[in-house]
Amino acid sequence: MRVLVADDSKAMRMIVIRTLRQSGVPIDEVQEAVDGADALAQVDTFQPTLILSDWNMPNMTGIEFLAALRGRGDTTPFGFVTSESNPDMRERAIAEGAAFLLTKPFDGSRFADVIGSLVG
Amino acid sequence: MFTEQHTPTIDEHTLQGIIEFVWATLLDEELAAGAAAPIDDAVFSAISIGGPWTATLEVRVSYALARRFAADLLGLSDAELAGEDVDDALGELANVVGGNVKGLLDDGGASTLSLPIVSRTQPTVAGGQLTATCAFTAAGEPMIWELFERP
């Protein structure tokens, strides 16, 4: 699995990646992006099989990143890892094509559950 | 300003529970209750919620505790830490707690969360009224959280 992790916080990117590796999901390569615009620019070259993105980021938010991605026909599985969530955000995320919205802080087992169900 | 009868939207008990949960999950350690003692060489991290309910949440710790928190969070030694790592980690702490506070609001998704701001001077919250204070001790050092609501 090739995973693109988008978060403006280096600390949170490291936590996401560490938790991802601890979750038992087979990871081949991980690449980091500092915001939605950076992530969008990396998708074509990195060709991730899973994208994990924060919601609230400068330059381009996570939901804008997802909309841009789906707008150009890219169907890469996409999950939000965000510090905030509410029913409206979940609805928007699903409507734009996200597979899940995971709220920070999260533990390894929760992470394994959502990623595991996604990759089967 | 609020009237004297103002009931905080997020009370201290609720805020305390969120902070303890976030800290325990991020660092896998329990926070101890503490006193709102003065902090020398303090660093502040603040995040604001806008919408039907407007508020600013601030945390202040000593720079030494901020470095220790960042090192633990990032899995680095103190020598490996860059100054920006400390700001990033402390900003993310306020961000995660603020996000969980925002998640409790019955606002139909109308509220917004700012990006965190980390500074060495206490941020000014114009028109804000202090409605909750939570004091902890981490690694023997005080950590103070304050919630300011704005009418």
Side-chain angles (χ1 to χ4, degrees):
Chain A
M1 176 174 285
R2 299 164 60 80
V3 186
L4 179 62
V5 177
D7 198 309
D8 56 317
S9 166
K10 175 186 169 188
M12 194 47 65
R13 292 197 305 272
M14 290 183 70
I15 292 169
V16 168
I17 293 167
R18 187 169 63 208
T19 310
L20 193 60
R21 295 194 187 284
Q22 292 169 346
S23 71
V25 177
I27 306 298
D28 298 314
E29 193 172 352
V30 177
Q31 201 150 299
E32 301 178 39
V34 299
D35 56 39
D38 183 27
L40 190 63
Q42 291 191 42
V43 167
D44 282 342
T45 50
F46 182 54
Q47 297 191 325
T49 51
L50 173 66
I51 297 170
L52 299 175
S53 176
D54 188 17
W55 186 291
N56 198 16
M57 296 182 286
N59 297 324
M60 178 183 277
T61 66
I63 194 72
E64 290 167 346
F65 167 37
L66 175 58
L69 202 63
R70 295 295 186 253
R72 67 188 198 191
D74 190 314
T75 58
T76 306
F78 190 110
F80 283 104
V81 182
T82 177
S83 62
E84 49 177 324
S85 75
N86 57 48
D88 180 65
M89 286 174 71
R90 288 182 186 279
E91 276 183 28
R92 285 183 65 195
I94 300 304
E96 291 288 355
F100 61 83
L101 191 149
L102 190 60
T103 307
K104 304 171 189 172
F106 46 82
D107 58 23
S109 62
R110 180 84 183 102
F111 216 86
D113 285 347
V114 293
I115 303 290
S117 65
L118 190 61
V119 298
Chain B
M1 298 297 288
F2 295 113
T3 66
E4 289 183 4
Q5 288 75 34
H6 172 71
T7 302
T9 303
I10 302 292
D11 61 28
E12 286 183 351
H13 180 72
T14 303
L15 181 61
Q16 179 180 337
I18 292 172
I19 295 163
E20 289 173 343
F21 167 66
V22 169
W23 189 270
T25 308
L26 289 179
L27 295 188
D28 196 23
E29 69 176 37
E30 301 295 321
L31 269 177
I39 297 176
D40 294 328
D41 194 24
V43 56
F44 301 82
S45 181
I47 195 154
S48 295
I49 296 171
W53 182 70
T54 58
T56 296
L57 179 68
E58 291 180 8
V59 57
R60 67 175 181 272
V61 296
S62 69
Y63 192 68
L65 179 56
R67 287 189 70 89
R68 184 260 189 188
F69 169 70
D72 286 354
L73 194 65
L74 294 166
L76 300 175
S77 70
D78 187 76
E80 293 171 313
L81 272 184
E84 63 201 44
D85 293 334
V86 179
D87 288 0
D88 179 32
L90 202 61
E92 193 59 22
L93 178 62
N95 183 41
V96 175
V97 173
N100 279 262
V101 167
K102 178 176 172 285
L104 293 179
L105 302 176
D106 183 17
D107 61 357
S111 296
T112 57
L113 191 68
S114 75
L115 294 171
I117 296 173
V118 177
S119 63
R120 297 303 297 268
T121 56
Q122 184 160 20
T124 302
V125 184
Q129 177 172 314
L130 179 63
T131 56
T133 300
C134 296
F136 302 94
T137 299
E141 300 230 24
M143 175 170 63
I144 316 296
W145 290 79
E146 292 180 330
L147 183 65
F148 297 87
E149 294 189 30
R150 294 189 297 276

